[in-house]
Structure formats: C-alpha cells, structure tokens
Amino acid sequence: MPKVLVSDTIDQAGIDILQQVAQVDVKVGLPPEELVRIMPEYDALMIRSGTRVTKEMIEAGTQLKIIGRAGVGVDNVDVEAATRQGIVVVNSPEGNTIAAAEHAVAMMLSLARHIPDANASVKSGEWKRNQFIGTEVYKKTLGIIGLGKIGSHVATIAKAMEMKLLAYDPFISRERAEQIGCRLVDLDLLFQEADFITLHVPKTKETAHLINAEVLAKMKPTARIINCARGGVIDEAALAQAIANGQIAGAALDVFENEPLEADSPLRHLGQRIILTPHLGASTAEAQINVSVDVAEQIRDVLLGLPARSAVNIPGLYPDILEKMRPYLELAETLGNLVGQLAGGRVESLNVTLQGELADTQTQPIVVASLKGLLSPALQERVNYVNATLEARERGIRVVETRDGSVRDYSGSLRLTATGSLGEHTVTGALLGESEVRITSVDDFPISVAPSRYMVFTRHRDMPGIIGKIGSLLGSFNVNIASMQVGRKIVRGDAVMVLSIDDPLPEGIVAEILKVPGIRDAYTVRL
Ligand code: NAD
Ligand code: MLT
C-alpha cells in the first residue's frame, strides 16, 4: 500500500480520502533534517504553507510521485527540483479564493475604521470614541494589483460598496477588466490615484518588492495598503518607514517576508495605523475543507495512476484533455521512441508536426509525449510527462512544433523528425479507428505497421531475393518473424523493410544483416 506523509495540519476530510488508497502518516512540525530522513518511505507528501519542501527533501524522496499543496501558493516548494525528479506538484487553485478575498476586504474595512484597536481599547476598560474616527470606503478609489481569482472577487465586493476600481495586471485584457468593473491602468497611475491598494499577485521575480520606497513616495498621504497575497511583494522596512513618517496612512498585512514575523519587526510598532494577522487569508472552515479535499483527491488519483487536475509543473495537461488525447499521446510516445532509436547518437533537434485533423489539437501534450518517448530509451522510467521538457532542454534538444492541416492522409497524423550526431530520420504515424497506433512511414517510405516490442528496420535497394535472405538469416539465429513489410517509392529503387519479431535480436546480428548485398543500413528497435 502506498504511503502518504501529511506534514502540516490538514482538514480531516482530505485525510479520509487518502486513507481509501494509502497509509497516511500525519506528522506535523518535524524539523527539516527529520523530514529528509523519513522522505524515502513516502510515495506522496501533503502540505500547507508550514513545510518548506527543499531540494534536499525532494532528492531524499526516491519513491515520491506527488507533492500536494493544500492552498494556492507553491513558493514553499522547490518546484524545479520536483520537476527535475519527475514529481508532480499539485495545488488547490480555487479552494480558498473566497476566504482570501473576504479577508482582504475585512482588512480594508478594519483599517478604515480602526476596528482591532477600538476592540482592544474597549476590552481593556476604555471608552474613547474620539480616538477612533475612521474613513469611508464609499466612492473611494481601490487599486487592485493582480486581477486573478482573488483580485476579481475583491473587485466584485468592492463594487457593491460603490468603490471606484482601478486595476493593474499585465496579463489581463482591458475587456476582461471592464467586465469585472475595473479600469485597467498602469502602475504609476494606480499608485497616484488609489486611496486603498490591495495586492493579489504571486511572488515572482517581477513582483518581489513591487511596493518599495520609490513607489511609496508616489502614493497619497491618505493611501492605505492591504497585502493578503505574499510576503516579499512589499519591502517591509520601506513600508514601516513610510507609515512612521506619515508618507502613507497605513497598512493591513496578512503575509510577511519571513513567517512567523520577527519579534523585533518595525511593523509591530506602528499603533493603529497597521493591522497584522498571522497568514489567516485561507483560514475559514470552508476553505480548509475545500483545499484539503481538492488536493487529497489529486494525490489519490495520481497514486492510482490517473492524471492530476491542477498540476503546476505539467501545464496544459489537464485530465479532460489527457483523457481525450490518450490515444494520440500513445502514438506520439511510440513515434518519439522509434525516431530516437533510428537517429541513434545524440539527438540535437526534434521537429513535431501535427498533420491533417490533428493540426486542430493542442500541441503541447503531443510534444511532451514525443519527448518522453524520445528520451525513454536513455532515461527509462526516470522520464515522465512532468520532466520530459526539462530533460530535453537540459540535453540541448531543440524542439520545433509545426501544424500542417493540408496533409490529408488518415484523419490526422503525426510526423516526427529527429536530427542528431548520426544523421536525420523521420517517422509518421496515425490512429487506425479510435486508438490503434500505426507507423505509416519511415524516412518518407510509406508503410502501415503496428508497433511491436522488438522490431528491425532496414534501408536497402529493392531487388529480388533480399527479403528471403534476411528471413533465412534471422531464422538461422532462431529469431521468429511475426510480420514483415516493405515500403518503397519506385520499383527497384530505395526501400525500407520493417520486421516485427517475437524476441530480442541476438548480439552481432545487425553486423550480419549489413553484410547482405543491397542492405545499406539496419536498426534494431525496442519499443
Ligand atoms: P491568480 O493566479 O488567480 O491571480 C494572480 C494574478 O496576478 C494573475 O491575474 C496574474 O496575471 C497577476 N500577475 C502576475 N504577475 C503580475 C505582475 N507582475 N503584476 C501584476 N499582476 C501580476 O492567483 P489568486 O488565486 O488570485 O492568488 C493571488 C495571491 O494570493 C497568490 O500570491 C496566492 O498565493 C495568495 N493567496 C494568499 C492567501 C492567504 O492566506 N493570504 C490565500 C490564497 C492565496
Ligand atoms: C495559499 O497560498 O493558499 C495561502 O497562503 C493559504 C495557506 O495555505 O495558508
């Protein structure tokens, strides 16, 4: 039975799902070195934001197939190291959207009306109504940075409060922003005009310290910033200084560069101009059930050999697409494997052409499957859909994708050309009926052959007796031929011969085949 390690506190609903297929060990709060020590035992790891999944941990996870992050941000996972090792990383992109958006709005209103400090004051026995004069959000301008799932939901709530909405998101169209009720503007304008600025971006190289001393200087002295996205998007020292100097009016922060927030952080000493919560954006009962179930279902599926629906390191390979394309992926993998073995040596480039009706399909999964096939003789089970692209890139294999809808053989076909240190080979293939893979040409010689485990391909001159000689030669080595086909373009010209055989070819037989008059090249292939 597979084993799953749950190393952060996760809602029981997810654990119940995992227990249907695996032994689940819940071990929260283990130190990093202990996690590294026990990783080799586990097939899957489920975390929230508490566990930092390092390269060292991933490399120790020799059985690891999947890392499930019960939440959105995967910045606590070394995704590159996981990808390199062929481990799927999944998250729950929508499970806590509402919770995080509502927390951002709650932070904005709390900041506007000093609710946390007023509450603390009353609880301490005071009654100081004049000390907590707030500001309304009605008709104020809200600048939303990052108009994705959470940013859009914040916009919907803010619109209901009749705020004016500006948004900055370089990956969102003007039309989409308008649909949500936001005017898309550049960052400078947003910083100058907004009364409240709310951040909803991932932490990337571009968003690190997006809010810094320089941009804080552009804001209104009445501006207030809310960050329920990721620590590190704000330069905390610069923010603390800008609030202390009265350069801006305040901030409400749920996330920090270092969590837990350092005891001596200057952010802790800004009185009622700042509100701090301990990364509570997703902390609602509903969100915790959503993310736990969402990620546990994906871990269960991957352990059962099914695809994951929200893998962050195999973009584009969504389960519905994978399911529909499965026969074509098998075709691509077979052809990739075949063309790589025919090319031999070091492959420098792979041209993938989707022909006929196949030209209308999504290219990426087909390319990934072709690369997986191409690399599998060298990497065996170490290559999979997760790491095939990275492995190819690291080997310097240039990939060219083309579509050619004008080719009208079969209902759709795939053409792969591998160019390498030993020359260039091209194979094409198609599906017969719904799912039967056929190799339909080799080096542009037409054939129609079902792939088999052991095959021999020759290039030869089409002449009488050659087929018989190869047949007798293989017979003399006790090799049983299951099928044989010749592809040629003109009579007595160049041709290819394809033999499917029942057993692996004995050592040295290729050298014997090459001695047969008329044979120019011979390749043994194992698919
Ligand atoms: P999302 O992917 O739906 O949206 C992110 C948006 O940011 C996208 O529209 C993207 O185009 C935009 N973006 C990317 N780079 C940008 C840049 N340089 N400038 C401006 N916009 C940029 O993600 P989401 O689900 O809305 O989550 C947003 C953030 O909230 C993430 O960082 C996530 O980790 C965080 N989050 C925090 C909590 C919490 O507990 N505080 C909970 C959930 C999510
Ligand atoms: C997330 O990215 O989903 C949030 O940080 C919430 C969390 O996991 O605590």
Side-chain angles (χ1 to χ4, degrees):
M1 200 178 207
K3 285 179 77 177
V4 181
L5 174 64
V6 177
S7 61
D8 288 323
T9 308
I10 303 284
D11 191 272
Q12 185 62 31
I15 298 189
D16 292 345
I17 291 169
L18 292 172
Q19 278 170 338
Q20 293 165 6
V21 296
Q23 177 191 319
V24 182
D25 295 344
V26 181
K27 296 182 179 180
V28 177
L30 292 183
E33 56 283 3
E34 181 59 9
L35 284 168
V36 170
R37 195 187 66 75
I38 63 173
M39 275 327 289
E41 292 173 41
Y42 291 100
D43 300 271
L45 172 66
M46 185 162 174
I47 54 161
R48 265 188 75 191
S49 52
T51 306
R52 180 149 292 281
V53 186
T54 59
K55 185 164 180 259
E56 207 189 349
M57 252 176 93
I58 289 168
E59 283 173 356
T62 44
Q63 303 296 317
L64 211 53
K65 292 164 194 70
I66 176 164
I67 299 168
R69 159 71 164 102
V72 184
V74 287
D75 43 342
N76 56 326
V77 179
D78 189 333
V79 178
E80 198 188 318
T83 305
R84 192 175 303 279
Q85 217 163 290
I87 299 166
V88 189
V89 180
V90 300
N91 68 350
S92 173
E94 288 171 15
N96 57 30
T97 300
I98 303 296
E102 289 183 357
H103 194 69
V105 175
M107 293 285 256
M108 177 172 71
L109 292 171
S110 300
L111 191 59
R113 303 301 291 271
H114 312 293
I115 290 171
D117 285 78
N119 168 64
S121 160
V122 174
K123 284 184 176 165
S124 72
E126 298 172 343
W127 192 261
K128 295 182 169 171
R129 296 180 66 206
N130 288 339
Q131 216 175 69
F132 300 110
I133 304 291
T135 181
E136 290 175 12
V137 299
Y138 176 72
K139 299 287 184 210
K140 295 278 167 36
T141 299
L142 174 64
I144 305 175
I145 302 183
L147 203 53
K149 292 179 287 298
I150 298 171
S152 305
H153 194 66
V154 167
T156 306
I157 302 173
K159 209 162 76 175
M161 296 193 291
E162 298 196 36
M163 296 186 82
K164 284 187 235 158
L165 305 181
L166 301 181
Y168 171 75
D169 188 324
F171 308 104
I172 293 283
S173 70
R174 199 160 294 282
E175 295 71 41
R176 167 76 185 137
E178 276 163 15
Q179 259 173 17
I180 307 166
C182 296
R183 182 157 68 92
L184 213 53
V185 293
D186 65 31
L187 261 185
D188 267 356
L189 189 73
L190 185 146
F191 289 140
Q192 284 158 22
E193 293 201 354
D195 300 298
F196 294 87
I197 294 171
T198 185
L199 303 170
H200 299 290
V201 288
K203 187 176 171 213
T204 62
K205 270 194 246 113
E206 289 71 37
T207 62
H209 285 195
L210 182 79
I211 305 295
N212 53 43
E214 197 189 323
V215 305
L216 284 160
K218 294 179 187 165
M219 294 177 195
K220 294 180 180 178
T222 50
R224 291 172 172 85
I225 299 177
I226 298 111
N227 186 11
C228 291
R230 272 295 172 267
V233 174
I234 296 182
D235 176 343
E236 290 172 0
L239 176 71
Q241 209 167 18
I243 297 174
N245 296 342
Q247 209 172 7
I248 66 163
L253 310 177
D254 182 47
V255 286
F256 305 92
E257 261 185 300
N258 294 312
E259 294 180 9
L261 180 65
E262 299 94 344
D264 60 351
S265 165
L267 296 172
R268 290 187 190 261
H269 307 293
L270 296 165
Q272 59 174 276
R273 284 168 295 170
I274 197 156
I275 298 174
L276 308 174
T277 52
H279 204 142
L280 293 183
S283 296
T284 63
E286 296 86 344
Q288 285 314 302
I289 295 172
N290 290 345
V291 295
S292 177
V293 168
D294 191 0
V295 169
E297 283 178 351
Q298 297 186 69
I299 293 178
R300 176 200 61 199
D301 289 354
V302 168
L303 292 178
L304 292 173
L306 301 166
R309 60 177 168 260
S310 308
V312 299
N313 55 351
I314 36 175
L317 297 183
Y318 301 110
D320 48 338
I321 296 173
L322 278 183
E323 213 35 60
K324 244 191 281 162
M325 295 185 73
R326 196 169 291 284
Y328 281 110
L329 299 181
E330 197 193 323
L331 171 69
E333 220 175 304
T334 306
L335 294 185
N337 194 340
L338 171 60
V339 80
Q341 292 185 61
L342 293 180
R346 190 167 51 78
V347 172
E348 284 149 11
S349 74
L350 181 71
N351 277 53
V352 180
T353 309
L354 278 65
Q355 305 184 138
E357 283 172 26
L358 195 59
D360 300 328
T361 347
Q362 203 187 333
T363 335
Q364 192 198 16
I366 304 255
V367 171
V368 172
S370 306
L371 287 172
K372 176 173 182 276
L374 182 82
L375 295 170
S376 59
L379 298 179
Q380 306 289 317
E381 66 283 349
R382 278 210 305 110
V383 64
N384 60 21
Y385 284 137
V386 178
N387 62 6
T389 309
L390 183 73
E391 292 285 352
R393 198 180 312 135
E394 286 189 341
R395 283 167 176 70
I397 299 172
R398 204 163 51 84
V399 180
V400 182
E401 308 168 15
T402 335
R403 294 164 191 266
D404 185 355
S406 68
V407 176
R408 285 285 160 226
D409 59 346
Y410 300 88
S411 50
S413 59
L414 180 65
R415 178 183 172 90
L416 301 187
T417 301
T419 311
S421 50
L422 303 179
E424 183 175 293
H425 286 276
T426 297
V427 296
T428 60
L431 293 181
L432 209 66
E434 296 272 287
S435 60
E436 252 183 74
V437 172
R438 281 286 179 280
I439 303 164
T440 55
S441 82
V442 171
D443 292 333
D444 288 322
F445 290 97
I447 53 172
S448 176
V449 176
S452 71
R453 190 159 172 73
Y454 304 108
M455 302 183 86
V456 180
F457 291 79
T458 68
R459 280 292 291 272
H460 63 276
R461 197 151 54 77
D462 181 30
M463 57 193 240
I466 197 161
I467 293 169
K469 282 189 191 127
I470 297 289
S472 334
L473 180 67
L474 293 188
S476 71
F477 278 88
N478 199 26
V479 173
N480 198 34
I481 299 173
S483 76
M484 194 280 297
Q485 215 182 94
V486 171
R488 58 186 190 179
K489 291 177 199 161
I490 50 165
V491 176
R492 295 195 183 231
D494 252 4
V496 296
M497 186 177 351
V498 184
L499 300 147
S500 299
I501 53 183
D502 292 337
D503 312 290
L505 278 192
E507 282 284 306
I509 200 164
V510 171
E512 294 303 314
I513 295 174
L514 286 170
K515 286 183 193 157
V516 173
I519 297 282
R520 274 203 274 276
D521 275 317
Y523 311 85
T524 61
V525 166
R526 183 187 172 133
L527 295 176

